[in-house]
Amino acid sequence: MPDNWSFVLAAYGLAALVLGGYWRRLLRLERELVALERRRGATRDEPRSAPTSPGPPIPRR
Amino acid sequence: MRAKFVVGGAVIALALTYMIYAGVTQSAVYFVTPAELRASAVAGKAYRLGGMVLLGSLRWEPRTLDLHFTLGDGTAIVPVRHKGTPPDLFGEGRGAVVEGTWSADGYFRASLILAKHSEEYKAPHGASQAGYKELLRTLKGEGR
Amino acid sequence: MTSRERALGWLAGLGLTAGLVMAFGVAPREATQGNVQRIMYLHVPAILVAYLAFGVVLVASVIYLWGRAAGADRLAHASAEVGVVFTGINIATGAIWGKPTWGTWWTWDARLTSVSIMFVIYLGYLLLRAMIEDRERAARFAAVLGIVAALDIPLVHFSVYWWRTLHQPPTLLRPGSPPMDPTFVLALMVNLAAFMLLYGYFTAKRVRLLRQEEEVFA
Amino acid sequence: MTYARRTWIVLWKDLLSERRSKETLNALFFFALLLLFLFQFALGADRERLTAALPGLLWLGFILSGLVGLGRAFLAERENDCWEGLLLVPGDKSAIYLGKVAGNLILMLLVEAILLVLFAVFFDIDLGAHPIRLIVVIGLGTLGFAAVGTLFAAMTAHVRAREVLFPVLLLPVQVPVLLGAVKATEAVLLGEPLSAVGHWLGLLAAADTIYLTVGVLTFDAILEA
């Protein structure tokens, strides 16, 4: 029975990529939110601009 | 209003319970065994055939990729022909499921070979060959 | 970032490391399948955690429709997203394992089919959320879909099971003692615990981000 | 007004406006005819292959026409600003849901009858051998489709990309109904008794029950505002 280490490596690598990718997405979203909050705090009356990230939809009222 | 949700929830729970009960007890056949195929084979009709690869029946020609073997279930045997490389888990004394058609010339022409393994995960030291009955049981899906 | 969230993150990282050690260091090479069986330590915990995540979506959706608590809606949203990620991992690792073992990347086998349908249903759920601009309406509609989807899963499972199957029966969920060497089970459990922690970390973080998003844009 | 009466009024209103305009039915009849052409071109004249694929094709036709028809289910309310009217209906809003489901069910069954006749004529298929069995199977399958379809149609009525979102949400959820209906139809067309596919019929009945109940319980949340 051959071991197929390449398949094992591919599976673990892919999983790491997906999980890492989702984690990074969350971190980026967090950074953007913090930056947005800071900017909002500085200039209250400026028109809002949606962040350009392909993240989740930004709810609007 | 509250009564609506209680009754509705009960109806849903009942339907789901029935579904799960029926799902577990239903002994659907996922593929035919060699005996079943032998009993009512229609040439040209597509089947999924599951059985054990009989010991000493496997012949493989690496150059032409001709794969010949016999599937059995203890009562009947079916010769199978296939073109291509078999999967790693495929081998004599193991279970296999093949998709293909029954040929009028008295053999099964497989277009796809799938190795079916039992749900036993064994450490190397306990490596005894799975019993024939056990494998058949797994093959028929009764092991759930 | 709250300290609880940070602690959860570190715990998840620790758990994943332990899981890797168990999967590659402690668990022995499997007798028939060889080392390729080690993919199982990713494959099985991923789907179990995905089921957990979608269960949370169901409960949170019901709670939201009952009392309209915004927190329940955020939990449902976050949990569905993380559940889809884990389902994706399960499908991908399953395909990679299937190639050397069954001899094919994909087959319309029962388990593969039903899990992929579940994947598509919850992708649709996220799509619905993304396409509705009004936050309150998105929450209501998503809650309804979350309930329909969760109730649909057993129906999908059995219908596809009767349709065709090739996947071996689930080893761990079987009544009676699992037909598995105890070391394998231990390695699997460690990985399952690690994935649960990771689910908790991701979901907690996502819920907090969703709340902040609402505060910023409110 | 009793619950049943409100259900009946919604159904009556839909049937009456459809009878007057015949918009949906005419379009769907033409659509069914076109589907028939497509199937013929896609499969060629191979009788054997056609027979094997027939139950699947039949349901593919039902579902495609059902998607087109159901997608329009709440169009009148949305375009003519009658949504508020629905909201003003006194009492339990699920009466509206049941009325809409009944209307959609009738519409779909009509289109399916047309498709069946077209199939019987153009593909030379004998459908008359077991009409009762066929009606039971098709009725159960269509009810499940209409139950979820109506719920989702109301849900997507206000969404920008509803033409895309509606089938994307509906089709995966409908897989159990589709599988059960195709398998049961296959058995009926092969002349098998219904008891041979009892588990499929049980699945369809369970699915119909669950979908309808969820629809009744949650339609309030979809309709409001």
Side-chain angles (χ1 to χ4, degrees):
Chain A
M1 175 60 53
D3 275 330
N4 294 304
W5 275 113
S6 54
F7 284 93
V8 180
L9 205 70
Y12 276 83
L14 194 71
L17 218 67
V18 172
L19 289 177
Y22 186 69
W23 191 43
R24 280 189 43 173
R25 203 182 84 103
L26 288 185
L27 290 184
R28 201 185 49 216
L29 202 68
E30 186 168 26
R31 271 200 311 276
E32 279 171 4
L33 273 172
V34 167
L36 211 65
E37 238 164 9
R38 200 169 299 144
R39 210 164 351 126
R40 185 68 59 77
T43 52
R44 264 265 163 234
D45 305 318
E46 247 176 59
R48 292 161 192 178
S49 62
T52 48
S53 84
I58 306 301
R60 274 173 295 242
R61 288 273 164 117
Chain B
M1 211 50 178
R2 189 167 291 256
K4 186 175 95 166
F5 285 94
V6 171
V7 172
V11 168
I12 291 175
L14 217 69
L16 274 185
T17 316
Y18 163 76
M19 196 54 233
I20 290 165
Y21 172 76
V24 172
T25 49
Q26 171 70 26
S27 57
V29 179
Y30 310 121
F31 43 79
V32 296
T33 61
E36 286 160 359
L37 184 74
R38 282 289 187 187
S40 61
V42 181
K45 189 180 169 185
Y47 289 99
R48 292 184 120 208
L49 175 70
M52 286 268 288
V53 181
L54 294 189
L55 293 171
S57 72
L58 188 64
R59 275 187 296 126
W60 193 50
E61 198 68 52
R63 268 175 300 134
T64 56
L65 291 179
D66 279 326
L67 185 69
H68 291 213
F69 57 92
T70 309
L71 280 182
D73 60 359
T75 49
I77 57 165
V78 172
V80 181
R81 293 186 197 172
H82 176 69
K83 250 191 171 355
T85 320
D88 283 347
L89 264 193
F90 181 80
E92 290 182 352
R94 295 225 178 95
V97 176
V98 294
E99 287 182 353
T101 53
W102 175 251
S103 158
D105 301 330
Y107 65 90
F108 192 82
R109 196 186 299 114
S111 55
L112 181 66
I113 294 187
L114 300 154
K116 172 99 189 178
H117 70 86
S118 89
E119 75 266 42
E120 313 269 335
Y121 291 90
K122 288 195 174 66
H125 51 83
S128 66
Q129 189 62 261
Y132 183 71
K133 280 224 174 78
E134 169 65 25
L135 240 166
L136 261 184
R137 197 176 59 82
T138 315
L139 276 172
K140 293 294 276 181
E142 286 158 12
R144 273 183 296 144
Chain C
M1 187 186 291
T2 62
S3 62
R4 197 155 37 132
E5 193 183 302
R6 192 187 296 267
L8 209 54
W10 279 109
L11 270 179
L14 218 67
L16 286 177
T17 319
L20 279 180
V21 171
M22 286 304 290
F24 287 96
V26 178
R29 183 180 181 276
E30 209 267 335
T32 16
Q33 290 184 32
N35 280 317
V36 80
Q37 178 264 343
R38 294 185 199 277
I39 294 177
M40 190 185 73
Y41 304 122
L42 275 182
H43 181 70
V44 175
I47 195 60
L48 290 178
V49 171
Y51 278 131
L52 169 80
F54 296 143
V56 170
V57 174
L58 169 68
V59 174
S61 298
V62 171
I63 291 176
Y64 179 78
L65 282 189
W66 195 263
R68 304 291 157 96
D73 172 57
R74 286 193 286 263
L75 178 60
H77 188 171
S79 194
E81 215 174 276
V82 181
V84 164
V85 169
F86 277 104
T87 313
I89 288 179
N90 171 265
I91 293 173
T93 52
I96 293 173
W97 174 85
K99 182 62 187 171
T101 323
W102 289 343
T104 173
W105 293 108
W106 185 262
T107 163
W108 290 103
D109 150 74
R111 196 72 54 78
L112 275 70
T113 312
S114 70
V115 168
S116 58
I117 291 169
M118 187 172 89
F119 185 62
V120 175
I121 289 179
Y122 282 97
L123 271 184
Y125 174 92
L126 294 179
L127 202 65
L128 177 78
R129 297 203 82 119
M131 280 193 176
I132 304 179
E133 280 166 22
D134 184 74
R135 212 203 64 76
E136 192 265 344
R137 179 184 278 164
R140 267 190 289 126
F141 289 6
V144 172
L145 184 57
I147 292 170
V148 173
L151 294 178
D152 206 46
I153 286 177
L155 297 174
V156 170
H157 178 83
F158 285 116
S159 64
V160 172
Y161 225 103
W162 293 339
W163 187 47
R164 57 180 1 192
T165 196
L166 181 70
H167 200 292
Q168 64 275 20
T171 306
L172 280 177
L173 298 178
R174 217 166 73 150
S177 67
M180 237 186 175
D181 202 273
T183 331
F184 292 122
V185 178
L186 185 67
L188 207 54
M189 286 303 168
V190 170
N191 274 286
L192 181 62
F195 270 43
M196 294 242 196
L197 285 171
L198 194 62
Y199 163 76
Y201 170 63
F202 277 164
T203 312
K205 201 174 181 63
R206 190 74 183 94
V207 165
R208 183 177 55 81
L209 290 177
L210 282 169
R211 195 177 52 232
Q212 283 182 356
E213 233 172 66
E214 280 166 29
E215 280 163 9
V216 168
F217 289 97
Chain D
M1 247 191 322
T2 63
Y3 191 88
R5 172 129 184 86
R6 275 178 282 140
T7 307
W8 170 247
I9 286 175
V10 173
L11 171 63
W12 181 246
K13 173 206 78 122
D14 277 3
L15 289 184
L16 200 67
S17 71
E18 180 58 38
R19 207 181 96 91
R20 291 211 177 120
S21 70
K22 297 195 187 62
E23 245 180 15
T24 311
L25 204 58
N26 281 345
L28 281 182
F29 173 72
F30 192 57
F31 185 72
L33 205 63
L34 289 178
L35 277 181
L36 214 66
F37 278 110
L38 280 187
F39 291 157
Q40 178 61 30
F41 292 140
L43 283 175
D46 191 338
R47 287 282 319 166
E48 224 169 84
R49 206 156 43 151
L50 196 68
T51 322
L54 187 71
L57 278 188
L58 212 52
W59 275 96
L60 197 62
F62 292 174
I63 280 184
L64 287 176
S65 51
L67 277 180
V68 175
L70 283 174
R72 300 174 48 86
F74 286 89
L75 211 64
E77 278 82 359
R78 206 176 55 85
E79 287 184 348
N80 302 332
D81 285 332
C82 297
W83 204 265
E84 280 75 19
L86 287 184
L87 281 173
L88 288 175
V89 172
D92 200 337
K93 303 285 184 296
S94 58
I96 301 170
Y97 169 72
L98 287 181
K100 279 281 179 187
V101 170
N104 287 331
L105 187 66
I106 291 173
L107 188 72
M108 278 189 74
L109 286 176
L110 267 176
V111 176
E112 285 168 2
I114 293 169
L115 251 173
L116 271 176
V117 171
L118 287 176
F119 260 83
V121 171
F122 286 97
F123 290 126
D124 189 24
I125 288 148
D126 182 24
L127 296 168
H130 307 285
I132 305 285
R133 293 179 200 171
L134 200 61
I135 288 171
V136 168
V137 169
I138 291 180
L140 278 177
T142 311
L143 179 59
F145 197 81
V148 187
T150 307
L151 192 67
F152 284 10
M155 200 144 86
T156 48
H158 289 294
V159 182
R160 266 173 298 143
R162 72 174 168 286
E163 293 85 356
V164 188
L165 200 59
F166 179 59
V168 162
L169 294 184
L170 184 56
L171 288 182
V173 170
Q174 286 294 312
V175 164
V177 169
L178 187 60
L179 278 181
V182 168
K183 284 289 174 190
T185 308
E186 186 180 28
V188 168
L189 288 182
L190 287 174
E192 286 182 61
L194 282 183
S195 58
V197 286
H199 58 292
W200 285 116
L201 294 182
L203 170 91
L204 285 177
D208 291 356
T209 314
I210 291 173
Y211 294 154
L212 271 177
T213 316
V214 173
V216 166
L217 292 185
T218 59
F219 194 70
D220 269 4
I222 286 181
L223 208 56
E224 69 184 52

